Amino acid sequence: MLVAAAVCPCPPLLVPEVAAGAAPELDALRASCADAIGVLAASRPDRLVVIGPADRPHRGAFAEGATGSFRPFGVALDVRLGSEPGAAADATAEPATEAAAEPARTLPPSLAVAAWLLRGWHAAPVEGLGVGEQLEQPRCAAAGRAVAEAAGRVALLVMGDGSACRTVKAPGYLDERAEPFDVAVTAALAAADTDALTALDAELADALKVSGRAPWQVLAGAAQGAGLAGELLYEAAPYGVGYAVATWT
């Protein structure tokens, strides 16, 4: 059963070593993410599942101890998911909670950022789930239900960014649909509105370069009937990308 969830964005710039001289610009975002993870720990989960967007070959389940790296971003920094050594699970085209061990796989960037946020986490065993950004809503919902039913008390850390089209300098340039989309997502996260997240337009999200749509819809599937209340901790669009931090308890 889902007892708590935290939603955080997943830009590698959250890691100060990656951001370098620009690191102070996201201090408030980092602090909000830390507060959200504190809420997860306080929920006393039996298991924490980290969910984030992933492209091939990084889709599927990752066991505690799976490793990631920020070397592709020019920083000699490696991270581990959770506190115990382990191996990543077999890659699949769709989310899975159990898969054969395959040590050679590494965490996708979204889960590597989550692993960095979770450094020092000891509250419960941790698993990762890389979700294809194009995964259809019904399959997202099914994955969420499976995750929520996997243990008596499950907490989720859901990684994903909003639109990348908020300004002319944004990665996707300016799109007038971007801000209304992000406002709707932020309202849904603040209210723990599973119906609103379920109804997100996948085609529009793709056009706006939203990485969080599928993970948010996995969250919606996991939270159906859980009776959780939401709280928004952070909302802004630095660099023209929509970032939100929220907790559901």
Side-chain angles (χ1 to χ4, degrees):
M1 180 180 72
L2 184 68
V3 296
V7 176
C8 294
C10 54
L13 289 175
L14 263 180
V15 179
E17 292 89 339
V18 176
E25 297 175 9
L26 295 182
D27 280 348
L29 175 55
R30 293 186 192 96
S32 295
C33 291
D35 290 343
I37 290 169
V39 170
L40 295 181
S43 72
R44 297 178 291 106
D46 299 322
R47 179 179 303 176
L48 173 65
V49 181
V50 183
I51 300 171
D55 293 324
R56 294 179 185 272
H58 294 117
R59 300 176 188 174
F62 293 83
E64 186 163 33
T67 58
S69 179
F70 294 97
R71 295 176 190 272
F73 302 97
V75 176
L77 175 64
D78 300 319
V79 291
R80 182 183 298 276
L81 186 64
S83 58
E84 298 297 329
D90 179 51
T92 63
E94 59 186 71
T97 55
E98 295 182 1
E102 186 179 334
R105 291 180 69 226
T106 59
L107 297 170
S110 65
L111 298 189
V113 172
W116 181 83
L117 289 173
L118 288 168
R119 62 202 186 283
W121 170 273
H122 299 291
V126 183
E127 300 174 2
L129 183 61
V131 181
E133 292 185 36
Q134 303 303 317
L135 196 68
E136 300 90 343
Q137 183 277 325
R139 296 171 71 190
C140 291
R145 289 191 294 270
V147 167
E149 294 168 358
R153 296 180 62 84
V154 176
L156 299 184
L157 174 56
V158 182
M159 310 297 291
D161 300 342
S163 69
C165 302
R166 293 282 291 270
T167 68
V168 294
K169 294 184 178 180
Y173 197 67
L174 176 65
D175 189 314
E176 294 181 354
R177 301 171 295 176
E179 185 171 358
F181 182 94
D182 287 341
V183 167
V185 168
T186 299
L189 295 176
D193 189 338
T194 58
D195 290 339
L197 292 180
T198 296
L200 290 175
D201 186 325
E203 291 188 4
L204 177 59
D206 185 58
L208 297 176
K209 302 186 182 301
V210 175
S211 71
R213 190 274 308 170
W216 298 331
Q217 290 186 330
V218 174
L219 167 62
Q224 283 289 346
L228 302 182
E231 181 179 1
L232 185 68
L233 305 184
Y234 178 95
E235 187 280 323
Y239 317 121
V241 181
Y243 297 150
V245 179
T247 57
W248 292 13
T249 56

